[in-house]
Amino acid sequence: MKLKQKELSTKQQRIIDYIRHFWLEKGYPPSIRDIVGGCGLSSTSVADYNLKILEKRGYLRRHREVSRGIQLPDRFASGHKLYIPIIGQIAAGEPIPVPDNDAWDSTASADTIEVTRDLIRGREGVYALKVKGSSMMDALINDGDIVLMQNVNTVENGEMAAVWLRAEREATLKKFYAESGKIRLQPANSQMKPIFVEPGNAEIQGRVIAVIRQLA
Amino acid sequence: MKLKQKELSTKQQRIIDYIRHFWLEKGYPPSIRDIVGGCGLSSTSVADYNLKILEKRGYLRRHREVSRGIQLPDRFASGHKLYIPIIGQIAAGEPIPVPDNDAWDSTASADTIEVTRDLIRGREGVYALKVKGSSMMDALINDGDIVLMQNVNTVENGEMAAVWLRAEREATLKKFYAESGKIRLQPANSQMKPIFVEPGNAEIQGRVIAVIRQLA
DNA sequence: AGAATAGTAGAACAGATGTTCTTTAAGGCT
DNA sequence: AGCCTTAAAGAACATCTGTTCTACTATTCT
């Protein structure tokens, strides 16, 4: 008895990928001709030929005589998104909010931003702040941007940190460098000059993980 | 913001329920005639009539002339994430890449970024570019940032656009304002001065939807 | 080499499907 | 009543779309 070859050809793999891609993007399954166009096939019969094979091997399910009647097993679905609470705003003259423990367990009424897991990369204690005002412009961050923060008290040299300057009563986002006896805070815009502060004056409130700016 | 919140008729509620039910059961959206049969309607035009209302009120989204092109906003079978291909980079001295919307080639789009659906908000023709160099700093965009673009040829006044300046052979990201006989390109950093160009010299390559900066 | 099998091409067909047009009916409003 | 909006029925139409048939090429097996 001959064993069936279980491997998929590159073309079949591409078809699977395309169907998933199409599905996720459009919200409904592709037609045969969508697949032909999207995978660069030359004929609908080629698509049909390969779809039949894919169905026989259990990679998908088809419904006869039904337009776009292609069904992918949903082992691909969900599990990739997270809801990050937007717990407050960051502005020059206000203290940087720090998440209190209540904010974590409650999925409730707080504002949230939906992000994908790869943006967080498994980090713990991530929250989001909305930038108010244009005082963070030297960090290339503008009013309305969302800053994803991780709740840490120390950062590595060169990382972007949210720093509260006690004396100046000012919040700022800068690249952090601990140097001999001083702390250097470097704007992201390298044409601008750094500022130096005493270690006792700079309170690290968090590490900046990502910046999201939504336009239009 | 106050919205006139009309209630849905029982028929419309039933249609929504049926679409969701159908979707979960079959794995693909229903056709108009499926809805007619499933909801006991008397004509496709009745279904169409109510679907138009439902679409206008945001309960679903339809794709014209596409079989079963009905999309429910919060189905979770299809996920909330999208894979956006990073089709190239944007730099001052290079033309801005334009997506080849004919063949979705999985080999060409080796790099993708995963974003949530609410960042795209249902827009079509979205792709991503990686920013190379710091020439876009006046748009508060730095080297390494990911720019989400929509493939359009015209933009509204005040929108951030990717513009190719023919004479200067330069790509730039600016807020776009069509003024009498001239085009004003305004940096996002409002402290910087705008530049003015002739309409024939500015080629709009796309609209900037979002900026994602990943640090650390 | 010859035969069998896998894969490709192109076209044509039949049914599925979205859209639109006309007509009719039921309430609400002045 | 007269007029408007909302809703519905039915039919016709143009496409979209899955399916299938035939012919052709490439590869594998004996």
Side-chain angles (χ1 to χ4, degrees):
Chain A
M1 177 165 136
K2 203 156 86 177
L3 277 179
K4 280 194 175 174
Q5 180 64 276
K6 285 290 180 185
E7 283 175 27
L8 296 180
S9 69
T10 60
K11 189 171 291 185
Q12 287 156 1
Q13 187 57 59
R14 182 187 276 195
I15 289 175
I16 293 273
D17 287 345
Y18 179 75
I19 293 172
R20 177 162 59 235
H21 189 268
F22 189 101
W23 187 287
L24 290 170
E25 181 163 337
K26 308 250 188 174
Y28 52 85
S31 68
I32 302 276
R33 285 168 180 83
D34 287 333
I35 295 172
V36 168
C39 298
L41 306 182
S42 49
S43 171
T44 58
S45 62
V46 176
D48 187 60
Y49 176 81
N50 286 287
L51 284 174
K52 274 176 180 155
I53 294 172
L54 288 170
E55 186 181 22
K56 190 167 287 182
R57 300 195 187 162
Y59 286 90
L60 48 81
R61 230 175 113 199
R62 295 176 80 192
H63 294 70
R64 282 184 158 192
E65 321 244 332
V66 172
S67 311
R68 300 170 187 273
I70 296 178
Q71 199 176 353
L72 279 183
D74 46 13
R75 46 179 113 114
F76 311 108
S78 82
H80 273 71
K81 64 177 193 295
L82 296 171
Y83 294 95
I84 302 298
I86 301 176
I87 64 169
Q89 60 185 36
I90 179 170
E94 303 173 10
I96 302 170
V98 175
D100 56 4
N101 293 331
D102 289 344
W104 299 114
D105 51 51
S106 76
T107 51
S109 54
D111 226 0
T112 61
I113 181 172
E114 202 183 3
V115 301
T116 49
R117 212 170 272 275
D118 68 332
L119 209 58
I120 305 298
R121 296 211 201 102
R123 275 179 270 247
E124 300 279 329
V126 176
Y127 60 103
L129 297 174
K130 188 158 197 167
V131 175
K132 200 77 182 174
S134 54
S135 63
M136 311 289 172
M137 199 162 272
D138 63 345
L140 298 175
I141 294 172
N142 206 357
D143 184 76
D145 290 2
I146 303 287
V147 182
L148 253 58
M149 306 267 304
Q150 185 181 16
N151 186 22
V152 295
N153 293 320
T154 59
V155 295
E156 304 269 318
N157 268 2
E159 286 187 320
M160 180 87 74
V163 181
W164 176 252
L165 301 176
R166 288 196 181 87
E168 292 85 351
R169 292 197 55 74
E170 189 164 297
T172 186
L173 296 171
K174 296 273 193 301
K175 283 191 182 173
F176 181 93
Y177 294 90
E179 295 178 340
S180 54
K182 285 262 185 178
I183 288 172
R184 173 163 59 96
L185 298 176
Q186 180 82 43
N189 184 340
S190 54
Q191 295 163 8
M192 301 187 72
K193 287 185 178 173
I195 64 173
F196 294 89
V197 297
E198 299 294 329
N201 190 29
E203 193 173 331
I204 295 175
Q205 303 280 29
R207 178 196 358 239
V208 179
I209 288 180
V211 180
I212 298 172
R213 179 179 312 146
Q214 210 162 347
L215 304 161
Chain B
M1 166 169 59
K2 199 163 163 185
L3 273 179
K4 188 164 70 172
Q5 193 90 357
K6 272 193 181 176
E7 239 177 276
L8 293 180
S9 71
T10 60
K11 188 172 293 186
Q12 286 156 1
Q13 188 58 58
R14 190 170 184 188
I15 290 175
I16 292 271
D17 288 344
Y18 178 75
I19 294 173
R20 181 168 292 124
H21 190 264
F22 189 102
W23 197 305
L24 289 174
E25 182 160 331
K26 308 250 190 175
Y28 51 86
S31 69
I32 301 276
R33 284 167 180 85
D34 287 333
I35 295 172
V36 168
C39 299
L41 307 181
S42 49
S43 169
T44 58
S45 61
V46 177
D48 187 60
Y49 176 81
N50 286 286
L51 284 173
K52 273 177 181 154
I53 294 172
L54 288 169
E55 185 182 22
K56 190 168 287 180
R57 298 198 189 156
Y59 287 89
L60 49 81
R61 206 172 147 226
R62 296 175 81 194
H63 293 71
R64 275 190 249 166
E65 320 244 334
V66 172
S67 311
R68 302 170 187 274
I70 296 179
Q71 204 175 345
L72 285 181
D74 63 4
R75 75 208 170 273
F76 63 99
S78 68
H80 284 241
K81 61 181 192 298
L82 298 171
Y83 297 97
I84 303 297
I86 302 177
I87 64 169
Q89 61 186 34
I90 178 170
E94 302 174 10
I96 302 170
V98 175
D100 187 358
N101 64 350
D102 217 7
W104 179 83
D105 191 352
S106 58
T107 55
S109 62
D111 227 1
T112 60
I113 183 172
E114 202 183 1
V115 303
T116 50
R117 205 171 274 274
D118 67 333
L119 209 58
I120 306 298
R121 297 210 203 101
R123 274 179 270 248
E124 303 276 336
V126 175
Y127 60 103
L129 298 175
K130 187 158 198 165
V131 175
K132 201 77 182 173
S134 54
S135 62
M136 313 286 172
M137 199 162 275
D138 63 344
L140 298 175
I141 293 172
N142 205 357
D143 184 75
D145 289 3
I146 303 288
V147 183
L148 252 60
M149 308 265 303
Q150 185 181 18
N151 186 23
V152 296
N153 293 319
T154 58
V155 296
E156 306 269 318
N157 268 0
E159 286 187 321
M160 179 87 74
V163 181
W164 175 252
L165 301 177
R166 286 198 183 86
E168 293 84 352
R169 294 197 54 74
E170 189 164 298
T172 186
L173 296 171
K174 296 272 193 302
K175 283 191 180 172
F176 180 94
Y177 294 91
E179 294 177 343
S180 53
K182 284 265 186 174
I183 288 172
R184 173 163 58 96
L185 299 175
Q186 181 84 43
N189 185 340
S190 54
Q191 295 163 6
M192 302 187 72
K193 286 185 177 172
I195 64 174
F196 294 88
V197 298
E198 299 293 332
N201 190 30
E203 194 173 328
I204 295 175
Q205 304 280 29
R207 182 203 343 249
V208 179
I209 288 181
V211 180
I212 297 173
R213 179 179 310 144
Q214 211 162 347
L215 304 159

